[in-house]
Amino acid sequence: MQPQQPSVPLVPSSTSRAQSGTRTRTVVLSLVAGLVLGAAGTGAAWALSSGSGSGGTPAADARAACEALAGFDTEKYTDKGPAGEIALNRYAAAGALSASAAAGDARYKELAQAVRRSQERHARVFEFDATVRQELDRARGICRGL
């Protein structure tokens, strides 16, 4: 007669469930970080490849941020496919480029703050509510004055 093998429980232990939850959270956070970094990289590449001839200056970054905002459509932000990707990247690029402009010249601080406030609010409520739209309108108004 052979020795009997110990039985393996069919229900996962609380340790394995906790590890699974941690793994899922890590994957989700990695994906979000990848999207943000990818969008910032896209914005930087867009700014560097623009044909304005004055790239690399705070003014050029501010203009590029404003161009990104001008082409940003909140209605397409959650679309699947290219339209949604374009909206997501333009919104992220506006944030990265306006922050770059403000870092190089304090005159662009108000623009960067308006874009950042809209992005922070959107990250909290996951929609383009009145507050997010108000900050976007403020940023676009600043752009009209540049």
Side-chain angles (χ1 to χ4, degrees):
M1 186 164 169
Q2 291 189 1
Q4 192 170 7
Q5 297 291 325
S7 64
V8 177
L10 295 177
V11 178
S13 69
S14 62
T15 303
S16 65
R17 280 187 291 226
Q19 289 172 341
S20 176
T22 301
R23 244 181 272 138
T24 301
R25 187 175 25 246
T26 301
V27 168
V28 169
L29 290 174
S30 296
L31 287 172
V32 169
L35 281 173
V36 170
L37 291 174
T42 300
W46 182 23
L48 293 174
S49 66
S50 71
S52 67
S54 63
T57 66
D61 288 343
R63 282 192 302 276
C66 291
E67 287 178 31
L69 279 177
F72 172 58
D73 184 351
T74 60
E75 299 301 317
K76 294 182 180 177
Y77 189 81
T78 57
D79 285 0
K80 301 285 186 221
E85 290 177 33
I86 289 168
L88 174 96
N89 286 317
R90 285 185 176 162
Y91 194 33
L97 290 164
S98 63
S100 176
D105 189 330
R107 290 181 295 176
Y108 304 112
K109 184 177 180 181
E110 188 179 354
L111 172 63
Q113 288 175 336
V115 175
R116 188 189 73 245
R117 282 190 302 262
S118 77
Q119 290 175 332
E120 288 174 351
R121 171 70 180 178
H122 181 264
R124 280 194 303 274
V125 299
F126 300 106
E127 65 178 301
F128 291 94
D129 67 0
T131 303
V132 176
R133 289 180 188 277
Q134 179 182 14
E135 291 300 335
L136 284 172
D137 289 345
R138 180 175 288 130
R140 288 178 173 138
I142 294 167
C143 286
R144 284 189 292 275
L146 295 180

